[in-house]
Structure formats: structure tokens, C-alpha cells
Amino acid sequence: MARIKISELLKNGATFLGQKIEVKGWVRAFRSKRFVQLNDGSCMANIQGVIDYDNFDEEQLKAISTGAAISIKGLLVESQGAGQVVELQVEAFEIIGAADPDAVQKTILQPKKHSLDLLREQAHLRFRTNTFGAIFRIRHAASFAIHQFFNERGFNYIHTPILTGSDAEGAGEMFRVSTLDPKNPPLDDDGNIDYGKDFFGKQVNLTVSGQLEAELAALGLGQVYTFGPTFRAENSNTSRHLAEFWMIEPEVAFNDLSDNMDLTEEFLQSVCQYILKNSEEDLNFLDNRYAQEQNQKPQNERSHLGLRESIEFVVNNQFKRLSYTEAIEVLQKSKAYKKKKFQFPVEWGIDLQSEHERYLVEKEFKCPVILCDYPADIKAFYMRQNDDGKTVAAMDVLFPGVGEIVGGSQREERLEILKAKCKDFDIEEDELWWYMDTRKFGSVPHSGFGMGFERLIMFLTGMSNIRDVIPFPRTPDNAEF
Ligand code: 4AD
Ligand code: MG
């Protein structure tokens, strides 16, 4: 007898009706010694098995308890009860993995509402809940949609190194990787640790971004993207930062900043569209969850759109594009500014704070915003200098609820200017000889961006803490599992 997955049963129920089949999964609930709800992770829905208890002995039935893994075999029939279309008349069952009911009581497997904090503490079990089943199926669907988007447009997926000897990008604090004995490291003449004796013969870190290497690849392959883990050692314990997160970084030769904005917008819309179309059941569940959560909030903190509505909004509306300079003017003219509602100052040259970004997206424009042409001083050395001499061809995409979801730029392709920038930023040119080299041989304008994958998943699932959209979050003081 073939084992059928529940997603398939519910999709193609008619073809299995009247047939004997087997389903395997975990018991979500067992009512009246008769109705067992089984979930196998293939979709949100359970299959109901109907057990005629006269046919089985009491001891056997006892082993069917919440959390246990079982197999049920029998005839698939149209359901008599409400809530499901088909159900399985159980003729035989087998306990594959028992679950002690007393022990289950102490876990999140117990079928009742648990706090997200508790679910995080039991991250090894949270895959078995409706919420996290939905989140991680959507996470999968989004990563597939991303690969599909780039593949359809002829981009090459590039695997950039995770261990890196360069610290030049300056995107964040780095984690050092070393095989030296921490108790007794080799020292140089000045008494400093001699990394020349370390595994790679130099100091090596976990990468903060694959961009610099992606640029090298784009200057030969034309258009590439990365999709890999990146690491930042900042001590930022916020609901939007992880120490280990996944980033997607496309890089395109001959694209200027405006092309880059077009690509970002098309990319984000396309992935959102894919989720609306392909993750309907999971999205429905999360949409409800989101609505309930919003209802708990004070009126003035509620989002004016539901979860599905905000995703649809992104798909159907152009993003608002404006320069950093214009954004500062908008902020300075705002009521919030005049009433001194902003905690941080607003003036040309400042790094925008999350309160400013949220104001622009959620209050002023009520749509995704692309800010461009930032002051050179607050952005990275590799961003292309604009003709005004003050700003660079940078862009950030700001999303409702999430804030910055994408950061990107046109890159400085002119060797002399790049050299001057290295000097300004105190970057050893020699350390980046390979990066500089590409500006000597057929250098061309090129652009790219980085999207934080978890920020996207927060947006798509309506989860407000980034720790809930990655299976095992790494944050300061936390590397469990
Ligand atoms: O703005 P960032 O630092 O840009 C870069 O790393 C560039 N090299 C990208 C490029 O042009 N190729 O990071 C890009 C995005 C941010 O917009 C944000 O979505 C996400 O990565 N991000 C984080 N996500 C989770 N936790 C963190 N600590 C993050 N830091 C950045
Ligand atoms: Mg950024």
C-alpha cells in the first residue's frame, strides 16, 4: 500500500476516494477515542482518521497520543463531519514513535496557545506547530521563487566564500575564525597574536557580504547573484537583527542606479506575487493570525492593511522613489518633526534612524520607498561618487513593518576615484589588490544590491520578530541548537 502525503490527498482527493491508502504523520489531537488528526508537514491541513474503537483493544488505542508518530491505513471516503472533505476509515494503525503524554504536557506540543518566547525556547519542536509550519513552508517557497526569478533572467548563481581574509567592505563587525590555541597563541616581536601562524597564514573572518566577490564575477559573467549566509558581530539585540542571516546579492554589469532600482522593484514584486499564488493555505493562516495580533494593539499602532493586503499592495503599486535630500526635507516639514516627536535629530548628513524610515513608509507615503543618493560619509567606500561631490549613488528600499529590506548601489568603477575613496576610508589598497585590478582591465559601470532574506520573510509572514523566521536564530548570548 502506497504512502500518500496529505497535501496530495487534499489536492487530488477524488483520485484516491474509495481506495485503500496509508498516511504517516504526527498526532495533533485524538478525540473521543475515535477521531485522530494527523499532520505530516506537507501542508497546513491535517487528515482525519476515523477509528472504530470496537476493533482495537484499549491498550493499543492509548498509544495514539498527541505528538506520537503513527501510520494509519484504510479506506479514503467522503467525510461525514464538517471541517474536512475526505477522511480515512482506519483499518490498521501502527505506532512508529510513541510520545509520553506526561512529557508532552511540558512541551509546546500540548495543543494550546503558547507564547512566541516559549516556542523559541523549544525551537527543536516548533516545526510541528501550525504557525511555524506555515512560516518555514513560505520560507522555502520564497527561496525557490528567488532562484526562479534570477534563472529566468539569465543570472548565474555564484557561491562566494564564507571565510574571508578581507575586512574592507565595512558592513559590520566580524567574527574571527582561528585554529590557534586561545590559551597559548603564538606572539610576534611586539607581543601581539601572530596570525601569520594561523591556519590560513593570515587573519580570517566570517563574511559580512558576498558583494565584493560578486562584483568580480559580474565583470566577467555579466549578471550574477549570491544567496548565502552572512555574519555580523554587532551587539544589536533588536527584533530585526541576527548575527547570522541569509542575504541575496545580485550584481549586474552595465546597470546604473536607475536600472538597479528597476531590478529591485521587479524582484520584490515577483517574489511577493509567487507567494500570493503558491502559498495560499499558509498565507490564509498567517493572515488570520496577523489580524488577531493587530486587534490586540492600540488603535493608533495598528497596520491599516492586513497581511495579504500588504503583500498585494507591494505587487500592485509602484515604489515611491526619492533622494535622501528630498527625504530630509519631507521629514523636516512633517508634523512629527514640528511637534518634536522624533527622538533623533533630522538634518542633512545624518544616518536615518528607524523612526524616520518608518515615518516615511508608514505615515507619509504609505507604500514601499526607495531612497537614493545618500551622503558619501555615511555609506560604504565602493559606492559611486555623484557629480555633486557630496553624495553617492546608493539606494535603500524601505518596507512597512520591516524598515530597510534592501541596501544597494552603483559601484565606483573609476580607478582613480576608488583609490581616493580607499584613502578617505583608511582602507589598505594592497589588501584589495584584486578588487582594484578589475578597474584596470575593462572596467564598466555596474550595480547591485543586497536583500536580507529574513527581513523579506518577516514581511511575507507578518511576524514581527526576526527570530521567528529563521529555524535556529543566532543572536547575542544565544546559539542554542
Ligand atoms: O545594507 P547592507 O549592510 O548591505 C550590504 O551588505 C551590501 N554589500 C549589499 C550589496 O549592495 N550587495 O545589508 C543588506 C541587507 C539590509 O538591507 C538588510 O535587509 C539585511 O541585509 N541585513 C540584516 N538582516 C538581518 N540581520 C542583520 N544583522 C542584518 N544586517 C543587514
Ligand atoms: Mg544597509
Side-chain angles (χ1 to χ4, degrees):
M1 200 180 292
R3 178 198 162 202
I4 313 286
K5 286 200 214 69
I6 296 170
S7 59
E8 208 180 318
L9 264 187
L10 299 178
K11 214 186 299 160
N12 306 313
T15 53
F16 297 106
L17 267 184
Q19 289 191 32
K20 288 200 174 173
I21 57 162
E22 178 180 20
V23 179
K24 293 180 181 176
W26 293 271
V27 175
R28 284 288 176 86
F30 187 33
R31 277 188 298 120
S32 322
K33 282 193 252 170
R34 198 172 160 76
F35 302 106
V36 61
Q37 300 294 334
L38 218 57
N39 187 283
D40 66 3
S42 62
C43 59
M44 170 73 57
N46 303 327
I47 183 87
Q48 172 159 284
V50 184
I51 300 182
D52 189 348
Y53 47 81
D54 291 338
N55 297 340
F56 301 93
D57 74 48
E58 191 79 10
E59 273 315 298
Q60 272 181 308
L61 288 178
K62 256 197 192 150
I64 305 180
S65 61
T66 301
I70 69 172
S71 140
I72 53 176
K73 292 179 186 169
L75 202 63
L76 190 75
V77 298
E78 277 178 43
S79 178
Q80 313 296 308
Q84 62 276 321
V85 183
V86 291
E87 62 190 21
L88 198 93
Q89 285 178 347
V90 179
E91 291 165 11
F93 69 83
E94 190 192 327
I95 307 293
I96 301 170
D100 171 9
D102 291 335
V104 164
Q105 283 296 312
K106 299 191 186 92
T107 72
I108 55 162
L109 295 176
Q110 195 199 356
K112 64 167 215 187
K113 220 173 161 44
H114 303 286
S115 74
L116 289 169
D117 281 332
L118 191 66
L119 286 153
R120 241 170 262 147
E121 283 166 24
Q122 297 180 35
H124 59 304
L125 297 176
R126 66 179 179 170
F127 298 103
R128 297 213 206 156
T129 64
N130 284 337
T131 302
F132 286 88
I135 292 168
F136 292 123
R137 279 187 298 269
I138 286 183
R139 188 176 162 112
H140 162 78
S143 68
F144 180 80
I146 287 166
H147 285 297
Q148 180 171 279
F149 175 88
F150 289 121
N151 188 51
E152 280 172 354
R153 285 159 184 78
F155 282 67
N156 292 290
Y157 180 25
I158 288 291
H159 300 94
T160 48
I162 290 168
L163 297 174
T164 173
S166 89
D167 178 20
E169 153 118 34
E173 293 296 312
M174 301 182 98
F175 289 102
R176 193 167 58 233
V177 178
S178 170
T179 54
L180 294 178
D181 178 0
K183 282 202 215 94
N184 189 22
L187 301 178
D188 62 17
D189 296 343
D190 301 330
N192 297 319
I193 295 180
D194 184 2
Y195 288 104
K197 300 222 167 67
D198 206 345
F199 189 91
F200 294 103
K202 63 195 286 198
Q203 197 169 322
V204 160
N205 300 301
L206 294 179
T207 188
V208 292
S209 153
Q211 179 199 319
L212 299 190
E213 289 91 351
E215 280 188 54
L216 314 179
L219 292 172
L221 288 162
Q223 33 182 25
V224 301
Y225 71 104
T226 73
F227 190 158
T230 47
F231 306 86
R232 303 206 178 168
E234 271 106 41
N235 193 7
S236 32
N237 236 325
T238 80
S239 57
R240 300 186 302 135
H241 288 89
L242 291 165
E244 174 181 287
F245 65 100
W246 289 68
M247 187 152 55
I248 293 95
E249 295 184 276
E251 194 67 37
V252 185
F254 310 109
N255 263 13
D256 64 15
L257 188 67
S258 160
D259 300 324
N260 203 27
M261 292 196 243
D262 292 344
L263 179 68
T264 317
E265 189 167 335
E266 196 193 342
F267 168 69
L268 287 165
Q269 287 178 329
S270 162
V271 177
C272 287
Q273 176 75 63
Y274 183 93
I275 296 300
L276 287 173
K277 192 159 163 234
N278 293 281
S279 300
E280 205 182 349
E281 189 192 29
D282 290 322
L283 201 53
N284 281 346
F285 177 86
L286 293 169
D287 191 53
N288 273 327
R289 187 189 172 281
Y290 185 79
Q292 281 169 19
E293 206 178 63
Q294 292 295 316
N295 278 336
Q296 312 276 311
K297 292 186 178 175
Q299 194 84 37
N300 62 345
E301 282 173 30
R302 286 183 203 166
S303 156
H304 68 291
L305 294 177
L307 174 60
R308 178 189 297 278
E309 285 171 331
S310 19
I311 303 174
E312 282 166 353
F313 190 89
V314 166
V315 172
N316 297 326
N317 290 279
Q318 282 195 334
F319 297 5
K320 172 78 187 171
R321 299 181 185 187
L322 76 163
S323 70
Y324 168 92
T325 304
E326 288 164 330
I328 292 289
E329 283 162 14
V330 168
L331 288 170
Q332 286 177 338
K333 281 189 195 132
S334 71
K335 267 202 196 127
Y337 179 77
K338 289 181 181 146
K339 289 189 176 166
K340 300 202 171 16
K341 288 265 170 70
F342 293 128
Q343 194 191 332
F344 294 92
V346 180
E347 62 200 48
W348 202 93
I350 58 140
D351 211 353
L352 293 177
Q353 299 293 323
S354 132
E355 58 173 353
H356 307 135
E357 297 180 344
R358 291 194 63 165
Y359 178 85
L360 293 170
V361 174
E362 288 161 27
K363 297 272 187 297
E364 179 75 24
F365 298 113
K366 296 195 168 62
C367 73
V369 170
I370 312 184
L371 290 186
C372 62
D373 300 324
Y374 282 74
D377 295 349
I378 58 170
K379 289 289 183 186
F381 80 98
Y382 52 70
M383 296 190 179
R384 192 178 195 277
Q385 191 179 301
N386 287 330
D387 292 342
D388 63 13
K390 292 193 308 191
T391 61
V392 287
M395 59 167 214
D396 274 5
V397 182
L398 313 177
F399 257 36
V402 182
E404 181 192 330
I405 190 165
V406 163
S409 66
Q410 183 170 341
R411 321 304 189 187
E412 186 54 78
E413 85 282 13
R414 299 160 295 187
L415 184 62
E416 288 315 312
I417 300 182
L418 193 58
K419 282 184 169 179
K421 284 297 276 287
C422 283
K423 220 170 180 184
D424 288 351
F425 280 74
D426 259 338
I427 293 169
E428 293 273 355
E429 239 184 76
D430 291 349
E431 223 195 282
L432 279 181
W433 65 269
W434 38 272
Y435 188 75
M436 309 304 275
D437 239 19
T438 55
R439 273 58 174 174
K440 293 181 192 156
F441 310 109
S443 189
V444 299
H446 60 286
S447 302
F449 62 83
M451 179 183 71
F453 188 49
E454 286 75 20
R455 301 258 174 106
L456 173 74
I457 306 303
M458 286 174 79
F459 176 71
L460 292 172
T461 59
M463 300 305 287
S464 54
N465 192 320
I466 200 163
R467 294 167 179 82
D468 295 328
V469 296
I470 186 164
F472 302 106
R474 268 80 183 98
T475 49
D477 285 327
N478 173 35
E480 195 63 53
F481 308 104

